[in-house]
């Protein structure tokens, strides 16, 4: 079974993924700003009592806290899987659409993570992003979704774009500077390529970026279904509007548990 570190697992995709991994026998260590978020969660508490789930208080915006949770997870064996599912709670601004605080939350948390992973470690890293970020991805969106992504989600998507830029640099993936430009210093921070601990360009392997379509709180269609419940591809997928967070979690766990060779070192789109 896997030894898993989850950053951003208090709710949504990270939470649902963690529950699936725990149910399969994995050990899961959570980094949580408020471990009390699980005080009333009977499922998580059962795994805590059985010594399979560990709740570590900390803030992923602090690199020292990310280092601490890595050290804690490493007490249970080599870290096999890292799920990075950080996402802020958006608030609506009439001029900017939905905004998160800080506006570079995801990018800076990911930088803190990638800078502390030992260069000798080779965990499977899964990072949750979004469709519609890049020029090519936005062009493939259904027409009715383009205004939503272009206005309401513009600010959070700049942050996700920053995370993807870091991944592209560290993994040695092509970056379309002509069409997508470079994320601003406000998102990336100054001289981010020179950060202490940042892996050398092209040196990171075993990473998968997941770009879900517009997320819903619907049920997991994949559970109990004999037919494919969702579409996944390392190419842009035409058509399709949404996918549930629970089905994204189903895909993530299936990928890291059963089909990693199919998806490692790729950006994967998932949509109904």
């Amino acid at each position: 079974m896997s030894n898993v570190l989850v950053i951003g697992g208090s709710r949504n995709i990270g939470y649902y993924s963690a529950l699936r991994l725990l149910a399969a026998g994995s050990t899961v260590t959570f980094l949580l700003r408020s471990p009390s978020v699980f005080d009333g969660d009977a499922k998580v508490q059962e795994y805590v009592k059985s010594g399979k789930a560990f709740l570590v208080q900390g803030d992923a915006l602090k690199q020292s806290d990310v280092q601490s949770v890595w050290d804690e997870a490493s007490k249970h064996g080599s870290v096999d899987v890292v799920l990075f599912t950080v996402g802020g709670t958006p608030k609506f601004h009439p001029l900017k659409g939905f905004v998160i605080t800080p506006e570079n939350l995801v990018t800076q948390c990911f930088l803190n993570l990638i800078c502390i992973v030992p260069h000798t470690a080779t965990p499977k890293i899964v990072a949750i992003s979004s469709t519609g970020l890049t020029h090519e991805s936005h062009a493939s969106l259904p027409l009715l979704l383009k205004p939503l992504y272009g206005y309401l989600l513009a600010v959070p998507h700049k942050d996700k774009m920053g995370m993807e830029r870091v991944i592209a640099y560290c993994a040695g993936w092509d970056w379309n500077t002509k069409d997508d430009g470079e994320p601003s210093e406000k998102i990336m921070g100054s001289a981010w390529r020179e950060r202490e601990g940042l892996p050398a360009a092209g040196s990171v392997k075993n990473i998968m970026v997941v770009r879900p379509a517009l997320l819903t709180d619907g049920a997991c269609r994949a559970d109990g279904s004999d037919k494919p419940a969702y579409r996944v591809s390392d190419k842009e997928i035409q058509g399709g509007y949404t996918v549930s967070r629970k089905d994204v979690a189903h895909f993530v766990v299936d990928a890291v548990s059963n089909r990693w060779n199919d998806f490692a070192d790729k950006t994967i789109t998932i949509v109904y």
Side-chain angles (χ1 to χ4, degrees), residues 254-267:
D254 183 40
V256 299
S257 302
N258 305 311
R259 297 195 289 161
W260 188 246
N261 289 340
D262 294 335
F263 302 112
D265 303 313
K266 295 178 181 178
T267 296

Side-chain angles (χ1 to χ4, degrees), residues 20-46:
R20 285 182 173 275
L21 288 162
L22 285 163
S26 294
T27 298
V28 176
T29 302
F30 295 85
L31 177 64
L32 302 162
R33 281 180 293 179
S34 300
S36 61
V37 70
F38 288 147
D39 283 356
D41 190 314
K43 291 181 179 179
V44 173
Q45 290 303 323
E46 179 181 346

Side-chain angles (χ1 to χ4, degrees), residues 6-15 30-32 83-87:
V6 180
I7 299 178
S10 63
R11 55 194 177 96
N12 296 334
I13 295 169
Y15 172 76
F30 295 85
L31 177 64
L32 302 162
L83 301 184
F84 182 85
T85 62
V86 171

Side-chain angles (χ1 to χ4, degrees), residues 29-155:
T29 302
F30 295 85
L31 177 64
L32 302 162
R33 281 180 293 179
S34 300
S36 61
V37 70
F38 288 147
D39 283 356
D41 190 314
K43 291 181 179 179
V44 173
Q45 290 303 323
E46 179 181 346
Y47 291 116
V48 171
K49 292 176 182 177
S50 66
K52 299 300 288 185
F54 299 87
L55 314 182
V56 178
Q57 195 281 326
D59 187 344
L61 281 170
K62 299 178 180 178
Q63 188 167 322
S64 59
D65 286 358
V66 181
Q67 180 68 66
S68 293
V69 77
W70 177 274
D71 293 343
E72 179 62 31
S74 298
K75 293 177 182 178
H76 316 300
S78 298
V79 177
D80 304 304
V81 178
V82 178
L83 301 184
F84 182 85
T85 62
V86 171
T89 302
K91 295 182 179 180
F92 181 72
H93 186 284
L95 298 179
K96 299 180 179 180
F98 288 110
V99 298
I100 57 174
T101 303
E103 292 186 10
N104 61 357
L105 171 70
V106 175
T107 302
Q108 293 306 311
C109 289
F110 187 82
L111 275 166
N112 286 339
L113 168 65
I114 205 67
C115 287
I116 65 88
V117 175
H119 295 176
T120 55
T122 56
K124 301 170 184 176
I125 301 176
V126 178
I128 303 298
S129 186
S130 176
T131 56
L133 298 189
T134 64
H135 177 80
E136 182 181 9
S137 181
H138 192 272
S140 71
L141 292 172
L143 185 61
L144 293 177
L145 286 184
K146 289 184 179 181
L148 171 66
Y149 279 62
Y151 164 56
L152 288 178
L153 299 178
V155 173

